[in-house]
Amino acid sequence: MMIFHRSCSLKPLTTLLYTTTSLYTTTSRCTYTTQTANKVNKTALTELRQKTGFSFFQCNQALKSNDNDVRMAEDWLNKQAEVEGWTKAAKLQKRATKQGLVAVFAQDNYASLVQVACETDFVARNEMFHQLVSDVAKSALEFRRKVIAQNLAVNSSGSSDIGHLREVLIAHKINGLGIPGRDETVEENLVQVVRKMGENMQVKKALAISTHHNNVIGVASHGGCTANVDGCAMGMYSAVVVLRPLQQQQQQQQQQQQQQQLSQLARSLSQHVIGMNPKVIQHSTNSDVPVEDCLLSQEFLLDDTKIVGDLVAEAGVEVVDFVRYAMTDE
């Protein structure tokens, strides 16, 4: 009987241990490489948080998704925020907005009035909301300025004079206005504020005024959480008054003095309009408006010994226009 023995080669134990160790080391290197690729650079994280104001988690995720590229991570965050903002705004838009602010902004021979609503008085007092209101008011004014510039550009007479005109801006036009100095619209900005603050917000109404360069504009705001953001005054009530000098001073020094006096008068009359709430400038026999609701017939709020009509006559001016906004306006 013949017995055959299968020849087998046994590796020494040291060789097996070495092989296993090598395999473990290779695997460890792979794992380390993966972890390194996903590790967020702390300097980039700090920079991104300072630039965007987003949370640690959001910035961390953005850098992981974009290989620690700060610029790409910022773009990624803005796109994510826009998507989330629109979603949140859509969910909140049916909630009632009974609080908010009205604001007035004047610059050169232009002015604007806006009403921006939110849900709570807490948000109405917030600086982020104040900035939103200011942005809306300045966008409305800048829109009117551009319209006038376009009209003057195609004016065949070559005249640079403009008359007095007020324009009510419909909701669609307001939301589509660009914010001066920024690459975004009023609606895009509003959506981002809604996302951050978690309340429904709406631009209820807006109005823009342009007037002759010799006319004088005065504005005032009062009540509630009054604030002023870069010259934009806001509160529960806002008003604008436009005066026309009946005579122009010839000397420059006299012109400057007249301008200062009329500017103060226009501001005082704006305060009067807020407090006394006139409906029209002057009484007319064909009107149903009572005399006590006519501006020129009212006792002056800041000095009840004077009638507004007498006050403006003494100053040598004519009231061209006035507008009053209140947060309670529908």
Side-chain angles (χ1 to χ4, degrees), residues 56-214:
F56 172 88
F57 175 80
Q58 290 168 320
C59 291
N60 193 66
Q61 184 63 35
L63 289 169
K64 279 185 177 181
S65 302
N66 292 278
D67 296 329
N68 285 310
D69 187 307
V70 175
R71 186 186 61 79
M72 292 177 62
E74 185 178 358
D75 291 342
W76 185 89
L77 279 170
N78 290 332
K79 289 176 182 177
Q80 292 295 112
E82 184 175 349
V83 172
E84 293 176 9
W86 285 108
T87 302
K88 181 172 286 188
K91 290 180 179 178
L92 298 177
Q93 65 182 354
K94 291 185 179 180
R95 283 162 47 171
T97 52
K98 299 295 184 181
Q99 299 295 323
L101 292 168
V102 292
V104 60
F105 180 59
Q107 193 174 69
D108 302 325
N109 53 325
Y110 298 90
S112 63
L113 282 152
V114 300
Q115 181 192 50
V116 185
C118 58
E119 295 180 45
T120 65
D121 180 64
F122 174 78
V123 166
R125 295 177 180 276
N126 187 279
E127 291 183 0
M128 188 180 297
F129 184 74
H130 295 170
Q131 185 63 57
L132 170 67
V133 175
S134 174
D135 289 340
V136 176
K138 291 175 181 178
S139 298
L141 184 144
E142 192 61 27
F143 164 77
R144 187 70 204 144
R145 192 197 300 272
K146 288 181 178 179
V147 169
I148 294 299
Q150 291 171 356
N151 290 343
L152 292 176
V154 298
N155 187 356
S156 57
S157 67
S159 174
S160 60
D161 288 339
I162 61 174
H164 181 84
L165 182 67
R166 69 160 86 160
E167 179 179 1
V168 176
L169 305 178
I170 60 175
H172 176 72
K173 182 173 286 187
I174 299 169
N175 290 330
L177 295 179
I179 298 176
R182 282 157 49 192
D183 187 24
E184 63 180 335
T185 66
V186 166
E187 187 174 32
E188 289 169 343
N189 184 35
L190 185 143
V191 165
Q192 295 308 312
V193 178
V194 167
R195 182 190 64 80
K196 292 177 181 178
M197 306 205 70
E199 277 199 14
N200 187 22
M201 300 175 196
Q202 295 177 329
V203 181
K204 293 283 191 177
K205 61 179 182 177
L207 177 146
I209 292 173
S210 54
T211 195
H212 192 276
H213 68 273
N214 286 332

Side-chain angles (χ1 to χ4, degrees), residues 192-265:
Q192 295 308 312
V193 178
V194 167
R195 182 190 64 80
K196 292 177 181 178
M197 306 205 70
E199 277 199 14
N200 187 22
M201 300 175 196
Q202 295 177 329
V203 181
K204 293 283 191 177
K205 61 179 182 177
L207 177 146
I209 292 173
S210 54
T211 195
H212 192 276
H213 68 273
N214 286 332
N215 292 348
V216 178
I217 298 175
V219 301
S221 286
H222 178 73
C225 43
T226 55
N228 190 300
V229 179
D230 298 328
C232 179
M234 56 194 76
M236 292 298 293
Y237 306 92
S238 290
V240 57
V241 170
V242 182
L243 302 178
R244 181 177 72 87
L246 298 178
Q247 289 185 341
Q248 290 293 329
Q249 299 294 335
Q250 299 301 316
Q251 296 183 3
Q252 184 176 0
Q253 184 175 358
Q254 292 177 327
Q255 288 178 352
Q256 292 175 347
Q257 185 177 5
Q258 181 188 46
Q259 182 76 17
Q260 292 175 354
Q261 292 173 346
L262 295 186
S263 294
Q264 180 58 51
L265 176 60

